[in-house]
Amino acid sequence: TPAVGTISGSGDVTGITAGTTDITYALASGCYVTKTVTVNAGPNPITGTPLGICVGASTFLSCTTPGGIWTSASPTVASILSPGLIGGVSVGTATISYTIGATGCASTVVVTVNTLPGTIGGTLNVCAGQTSTLTNSSAGGTWSSAIPLVGTIDATTGVFGGVAAGTTTITYSLGTGCTVTAIATVNATPTITGGSTNICAGTTTTFTGSPTGGTWISGTTTVATIGVGTGLATGVAPGGTTTITYTLSSGCRNTTVLTVTPLPSVITGTTSICAGQTTTLSSATTGGTWSSSNPAVGTISTGGVVTGITAGTTTITYAVSGCSRTTVVLVNGLPTSITPAGAQVCEGSTITMTGAPSGGTWSASCPTIGTIATGSGTYAGISAGTCNVTYTLASGCSLVSSPITVNPLP
């Protein structure tokens, strides 16, 4: 029955379909013998994907014909982990068979086991905004990042760029589908706020780092120093710059440039005047501007001339390029009054003058007409005429009286 099995001239029987067929061998004489051959049904084809796996990976195969046994022709390449579960052991190919025990009939497939990429090399810990080149000894693969919002990677070059603080899984894939992964960490880059980037020698400014907990350092301590934990920078030498660096424990850092400007020379000149008087202040440093903190007490001109307005103190500031020197000017009050006003006295007689506030001293401008006692204010007429007297306080501020008339005797 050729529909069940065929036979070649050399006696090889090929099963076609399940059943029995009689095989006859005949001689030229016409004599012959026969044998009945049974063709058994084979198992259904093996199904499942993939048939290409990586070392250490597995794939599940199946066959709908029940009762069979799974075997690997090369268990050092691919082994049977459990019925139908094939595990890659080493690079190569292995023929996987599903055999029906009662008949010995089997279905087969070839499973290919591919090599894994090498371990990912390079720095996997970077700061946001920084880059690192990752490597792999297995050439020809492609790179990918699971979370590009944390870190991106160039598919070809392996250049990893930190975007934001967090972690992302980096995958290196070969054309066979075999991959290797590594966790990349992106640390936050700190920010520097507060403080002034231009201070005067001898003055301070405080910088703030975020997140907190980092350390500060000045690149040129001869220009400015900074507290390691406080961020308090102090200008040391004028006319220079230094790089201020704030570093977190992760190693991520940020910098700012601090400029130290020289102070003007000290302010010189008289700093105690009377209301209504002037004094000229000066500084050896040219090109600055003058100001008064209390113009109601004393004003100052662009040339440094202070005018006393009323009793009190005012701070005078001389500023050059944002740096300044100060001095305090005291404005002393004038005597408020001399009484009696328009006094008259006869030759040889006296009159007592009173100054306010008390405690001052007296002087006369024309002692041939009249004299005045320094402490008591007693004015004595000597000869006919008019004369003024002056009342001076301890501050040196004085008031001149109205004319005193000395009348002649009859």
Side-chain angles (χ1 to χ4, degrees):
T1 309
V4 172
T6 61
I7 190 167
S8 68
S10 61
D12 293 324
V13 177
T14 301
I16 302 300
T17 187
T20 57
T21 183
D22 291 329
I23 302 299
T24 300
Y25 180 69
L27 297 176
S29 62
C31 296
Y32 65 90
V33 292
T34 63
K35 184 174 181 65
T36 299
V37 174
T38 300
V39 177
N40 299 295
N44 293 325
I46 295 172
T47 58
T49 56
L51 296 178
I53 59 175
C54 308
V55 173
S58 62
T59 186
F60 189 79
L61 305 180
S62 62
C63 180
T64 57
T65 303
I69 298 173
W70 294 92
T71 57
S72 169
S74 304
T76 57
V77 173
S79 63
I80 308 301
L81 302 178
S82 62
L85 185 62
I86 314 302
V89 178
S90 63
V91 177
T93 59
T95 298
I96 303 299
S97 300
Y98 181 74
T99 304
I100 304 300
T103 62
C105 296
S107 288
T108 62
V109 291
V110 175
V111 171
T112 300
V113 180
N114 300 296
T115 185
L116 286 173
T119 302
I120 293 175
T123 301
L124 289 164
N125 195 316
V126 301
C127 305
Q130 292 183 343
T131 61
S132 170
T133 299
L134 303 183
T135 60
N136 194 283
S137 58
S138 303
T142 57
W143 298 90
S144 63
S145 169
I147 310 177
L149 292 177
V150 170
T152 62
I153 193 165
D154 186 282
T156 303
T157 65
V159 174
F160 176 71
V163 177
T167 59
T168 182
T169 299
I170 299 300
T171 301
Y172 183 69
S173 304
L174 298 178
T176 59
C178 295
T179 63
V180 65
T181 62
I183 301 298
T185 300
V186 179
N187 299 292
T189 297
T191 59
I192 297 176
T193 58
S196 172
T197 56
N198 193 323
I199 64 173
C200 308
T203 64
T204 62
T205 187
T206 300
F207 294 103
T208 301
S210 179
T212 59
T215 56
W216 298 91
I217 190 171
S218 170
T220 310
T221 55
T222 55
V223 172
T225 60
I226 192 166
V228 172
T230 64
L232 178 66
T234 302
V236 177
T241 61
T242 182
T243 299
I244 301 297
T245 303
Y246 180 66
T247 305
L248 298 176
S249 58
S250 64
C252 298
R253 62 188 62 189
N254 205 341
T255 62
T256 188
V257 175
L258 176 63
T259 300
V260 179
T261 303
L263 288 170
S265 298
V266 294
I267 296 171
T268 58
T270 301
T271 57
S272 180
I273 60 174
C274 302
Q277 291 183 343
T278 62
T279 183
T280 300
L281 303 180
S282 63
S283 171
T285 305
T286 61
T289 56
W290 296 94
S291 62
S292 169
S293 67
N294 194 352
V297 170
T299 61
I300 190 165
S301 70
T302 56
V305 177
V306 179
T307 300
I309 304 299
T310 188
T313 59
T314 182
T315 299
I316 300 299
T317 301
Y318 182 66
V320 180
S321 300
C323 294
S324 60
R325 292 277 191 178
T326 61
T327 190
V328 176
V329 171
L330 171 63
V331 178
N332 299 289
L334 295 173
T336 56
S337 65
I338 296 176
T339 57
Q344 295 192 32
V345 65
C346 298
E347 292 174 335
S349 297
T350 63
I351 187 172
T352 299
M353 306 299 291
T354 301
S358 61
T361 59
W362 297 91
S363 62
S365 61
C366 37
T368 59
I369 295 175
T371 62
I372 190 165
T374 301
S376 66
T378 300
Y379 183 80
I382 296 175
S383 61
T386 59
C387 185
N388 300 96
V389 294
T390 301
Y391 180 65
T392 304
L393 298 175
S395 63
C397 298
S398 60
L399 182 65
V400 178
S401 69
S402 58
I404 300 173
T405 301
V406 178
N407 298 305
L409 293 172

